[in-house]
Amino acid sequence: LPSLFKGVNHVFDQRLGQRVGDEVLSTCITCSQRADVQTDCFNTHCPRPFVSRRYVQCEECAVEQEGCCNFACQHEVHTRSRQKQHQQTLKQLQMQLRAARHRQKQRQRTRDDVASKISLQQDIASESLDSDMGRASSADKAVALQENEELLVLLQLEADTQKQMNEAQMEVEAAHAQAEESVAEMLRAAALAEQDSPATPFDASIAMKANSRNAKKGVVQEGRVAKKEVANEGVAKEGVAKEGVARYRMDQRNHLGADMDASALYAERFTSAEHPSLKEVRERTAQQLPGRTHMLSGAVQGQLLGMLASLSGARDVLELGCFTAYSALSVASAMDADGIVYTVERDDDVAAMARSNIAMSPWAHKVHLVQGDAIDVLEALHSACQEEAPTQHALLPNLPRVLPRNGFDMVFLDANKKQYSNYFKMLFDLQLLRVGGILVVDNVLWKGKVPELYGLTVDERHERNQQLQRKGVMALVEADKYAEAMHAFNSAVRQDPRAQVVMLPQRDGLSIIRRIS
C-alpha cells in the first residue's frame, strides 16, 4: 500500500524528522515561501512559548535573521552580545586596577623600608649617602606620580564602562520587550490564519490546548510592552519592524535586507535607469510578496544581464528560476526583435504572478514561461532541441519556434542552489549551452556564507555544526548545507576545462561562465 505520509514526518517534539516524500507542505514564517525545516530561535531568551518554540523557516531567512525567528530577536541577540563585550571589558579593567593598587602597595612598602634605613643610619650617613638617598627619593616620587596617573585613568575607564554597562542593560530590556511584542504579533497572526483555514478536529483540539497553555502563561502581555516604550529608539537603529516582518525597500536595501553601502547606492544611481515596466514589476513584487523582494535580481544586475545578452547577440536565452519575471524581462528588453527568453519556474503561485507581469509588459511576445521542475524541464529541452519542427511536449506546450540544435546562446541560473552542480552538468553534457555561449550564475557567494564557511578548518566547521544542532537552530544547519553545495559548484566550474569563469562580488556573488569547448 502506498504511504499516506507526505513531505517530512516529524516525531517527538518536532526535533526529529524523516523525509518520506518530495512534497513541501509548509511555509516560512517570515517570507511565506515553501519550506519544511523545523528550527528553533537562535535567541536563547526568545519569548516564544514552549508549545510554539519550533517553527518553519527557509534557509535564506535564517541567514538574513541569523537564525532568529524575527528581526526583533535578532536585535536582542546583538544587544546582549554588546552587553557581554562590556562585561568582559569591565572585568579586564578591574583586574588592571587590582594590579595597579598592588603595585602601589609594594612601592609604599619599599618607601617605608628606605625611610627606616635612613633613620637608623642618619648618625653615620655621609654626604654622598644623603645625595644617593635624595636621588632615590626623587625617583620614587616620579614612579608614584606615574602610578597615580595610571590609576586615575583606569578609574575613569571603569566608570565609563560601568555607564556603558548600565546603558546596555537598558537596551537589553528594551530589545526583549520589543521581541515579546513582535512574537505576540506573529502568534496572533498565526492564530488568525488558522481560523481562516480549514482544520481537522485533531488540529482544532491541538490549537485549543495551545491557546489554553498560552493563556495560563500570559504569553501576550500588552501591559509589559506598554511600560517599555524606550525600546523603539534602540530597535529602530537595527531596522526592526513593529510587525515583526521585514519590509524590504529595494531602493535602500540589499539582497540581505540590510542597508546598502555607499558604493552599491552610488552604482545604482549612476547605472542606466530601469524601464518603467520593470519598476512596476519590482513594486508589485514588493507589495504582494513583501518578505521575498530580496529574491529579485535588482536594477543593477538586471541592467548587467540585459547588456550581456545584447553584447553577445543572444537570440535564444534560457532562465532557470523566473520568480516574478524581473530578470527575464530585463533580458528581453535588451534583445533584438526576434529574441526569445525561455524562463522556468516551479512555484505555482509565483508562476501565476510572473505570467501576469509578463502579459502587462511590452515584451510579452519575447518571453515564454515554462512551469515545472528545472531538472525535468532541462531533459525535455534536450529532447526538443533534437527536433526539426516544434512539437508538443507535456512540459513544453506551445513552443514559439524550433529550439536551437547547438544549444542556447545564454543561460541565467537562479534556481535551487543545491542543484547547481547538476544544472551545470546537464547544460554542458546535453549541449544545452552552445560553444561560445554565456552562463550567468547568481548567488555563488550565497549571503556571504560560502567564503565565511570555508574560511574555517574542517574541525571548526564540525564544531560550529554541533553547536547549532545543540541549540536546535536547524535552519542555519541547513543553510550551511547550501553553502557547501555552492562551494562544490564553484569548485566544479573552476576545474572544468570546458569553462572559463569570472566570479564577481556583485550583490550575492555573480559568476559569468563562457563555454570555450
Side-chain angles (χ1 to χ4, degrees):
L1 293 175
S3 173
L4 298 178
F5 291 101
K6 293 183 178 181
V8 177
N9 181 26
H10 289 279
V11 296
F12 297 113
D13 56 351
Q14 300 179 336
R15 285 179 292 183
L16 299 176
Q18 177 67 42
R19 180 170 294 283
V20 294
D22 295 332
E23 301 85 1
V24 181
L25 306 177
S26 50
T27 58
C28 173
I29 63 168
T30 303
C31 67
S32 300
Q33 69 174 324
R34 293 191 177 277
D36 56 10
V37 179
Q38 291 278 355
T39 187
D40 197 352
C41 186
F42 187 77
N43 180 14
T44 54
H45 297 81
C46 177
R48 298 179 72 89
F50 179 77
V51 293
S52 303
R53 187 74 189 184
R54 308 288 293 183
Y55 56 91
V56 175
Q57 189 176 48
C58 70
E59 295 78 9
E60 292 190 358
C61 290
V63 173
E64 291 166 16
Q65 297 174 185
E66 299 176 285
C68 298
C69 63
N70 58 67
F71 286 95
C73 275
Q74 182 184 14
H75 171 65
E76 183 177 355
V77 169
H78 291 171
T79 305
R80 290 186 182 277
S81 177
R82 288 194 296 269
Q83 183 190 37
K84 187 175 181 180
Q85 291 174 359
H86 292 322
Q87 289 174 341
Q88 293 174 348
T89 302
L90 184 62
K91 185 176 180 180
Q92 292 173 356
L93 286 172
Q94 289 171 345
M95 292 176 63
Q96 293 176 16
L97 276 169
R98 284 196 295 270
R101 290 188 176 113
H102 179 70
R103 287 195 298 270
Q104 269 194 333
K105 290 180 180 179
Q106 290 288 91
R107 181 66 59 182
Q108 185 61 41
R109 292 195 191 99
T110 302
R111 284 197 293 268
D112 292 344
D113 292 343
V114 170
S116 62
K117 289 179 181 178
I118 291 175
S119 63
L120 291 173
Q121 298 177 357
Q122 59 183 354
D123 295 334
I124 60 175
S126 63
E127 292 183 1
S128 59
L129 180 60
D130 292 338
S131 177
D132 292 340
M133 286 297 183
R135 285 195 297 270
S137 178
S138 299
D140 286 341
K141 289 180 180 179
V143 171
L145 182 61
Q146 181 180 358
E147 288 180 348
N148 286 333
E149 290 177 352
E150 179 186 0
L151 194 62
L152 289 174
V153 170
L154 290 174
L155 287 170
Q156 184 61 46
L157 287 174
E158 183 186 34
D160 293 342
T161 305
Q162 187 63 55
K163 181 180 178 181
Q164 293 175 348
M165 275 282 297
N166 296 335
E167 293 175 352
Q169 180 61 34
M170 292 178 62
E171 290 181 3
V172 166
E173 293 176 358
H176 189 69
Q178 185 66 27
E180 288 181 334
E181 180 183 7
S182 181
V183 168
E185 181 65 28
M186 294 175 70
L187 293 176
R188 284 195 293 267
L192 290 174
E194 289 180 2
Q195 291 176 5
D196 294 339
S197 61
T200 64
F202 176 77
D203 294 332
S205 65
I206 293 297
M208 289 176 64
K209 291 179 181 178
N211 291 336
S212 175
R213 291 174 184 170
N214 291 344
K216 291 179 180 178
K217 294 184 178 181
V219 176
V220 183
Q221 299 180 13
E222 299 291 348
R224 293 181 62 185
V225 176
K227 292 179 181 178
K228 297 180 180 180
E229 294 180 354
V230 69
N232 295 336
E233 182 179 354
V235 172
K237 294 178 181 179
E238 295 287 337
V240 179
K242 288 185 178 180
E243 297 83 359
V245 179
R247 303 299 182 188
Y248 297 95
R249 303 188 307 276
M250 291 303 290
D251 56 337
Q252 298 179 8
R253 298 292 181 104
N254 63 14
H255 62 287
L256 292 175
D259 291 336
M260 293 173 66
D261 58 28
S263 298
L265 286 170
Y266 186 86
E268 185 169 307
R269 181 168 299 176
F270 287 93
T271 296
S272 297
E274 63 182 342
H275 193 280
S277 295
L278 294 174
K279 185 178 180 180
E280 290 175 2
V281 171
R282 179 163 54 84
E283 291 174 347
R284 280 194 294 270
T285 303
Q287 182 179 5
Q288 299 181 34
L289 301 172
R292 302 172 68 179
T293 312
H294 63 286
M295 297 173 67
L296 287 169
S297 290
V300 176
Q301 186 165 301
Q303 291 286 347
L304 176 61
L305 292 172
M307 184 172 288
L308 289 173
S310 178
L311 289 174
S312 63
R315 184 172 180 268
D316 295 283
V317 175
L318 173 64
E319 178 186 49
L320 300 181
C322 176
F323 193 44
T324 57
Y326 183 91
S327 52
L329 293 172
S330 297
V331 173
S333 67
M335 297 175 69
D336 293 335
D338 62 342
I340 293 182
V341 179
Y342 300 85
T343 181
V344 182
E345 178 55 51
R346 180 181 63 179
D347 190 303
D348 295 342
D349 297 333
V350 172
M353 185 175 177
R355 289 186 193 278
S356 176
N357 288 335
I358 293 169
M360 289 187 287
S361 76
W363 311 288
H365 61 289
K366 297 165 69 174
V367 181
H368 183 74
L369 177 62
V370 178
Q371 195 167 343
D373 182 77
I375 295 291
D376 298 334
V377 172
L378 287 176
E379 293 174 349
L381 287 172
H382 173 61
S383 300
C385 285
Q386 310 306 313
E387 299 170 355
E388 297 182 358
T391 57
Q392 292 295 324
H393 294 265
L395 286 175
L396 306 173
N398 305 319
L399 288 175
R401 66 182 178 209
V402 177
L403 295 177
R405 294 180 64 86
N406 295 328
F408 290 90
D409 303 310
M410 176 176 164
V411 178
F412 178 47
L413 180 53
D414 189 16
N416 185 353
K417 317 308 172 192
K418 288 185 177 180
Q419 295 289 344
Y420 269 23
S421 294
N422 292 330
Y423 298 149
F424 175 76
K425 189 174 186 301
M426 294 183 72
L427 288 169
F428 275 60
D429 293 351
L430 300 180
Q431 307 299 321
L432 290 173
L433 178 67
R434 68 171 177 84
V435 176
I438 298 174
L439 170 61
V440 184
V441 187
D442 199 7
N443 308 117
V444 292
L445 299 178
W446 206 74
K447 317 293 182 186
K449 296 290 290 184
V450 177
E452 174 190 330
L453 192 64
Y454 282 87
L456 304 176
T457 64
V458 175
D459 291 339
E460 288 172 338
R461 291 202 299 271
H462 178 73
E463 177 61 25
R464 166 190 164 85
N465 183 276
Q466 292 298 313
Q467 289 179 357
L468 291 175
Q469 290 201 38
R470 283 195 293 269
K471 290 185 176 181
V473 191
M474 302 309 296
L476 285 182
V477 173
E478 196 68 19
D480 285 351
K481 294 179 182 178
Y482 273 70
E484 292 170 1
M486 194 59 67
H487 177 74
F489 165 77
N490 293 335
S491 300
V493 173
R494 179 67 176 78
Q495 297 169 7
D496 197 308
R498 301 170 295 178
Q500 180 183 21
V501 58
V502 175
M503 184 181 291
L504 304 176
Q506 160 71 14
R507 278 173 59 89
D508 203 17
L510 196 71
S511 282
I512 302 176
I513 303 166
R514 179 172 174 265
R515 181 167 188 171
I516 57 178
S517 66

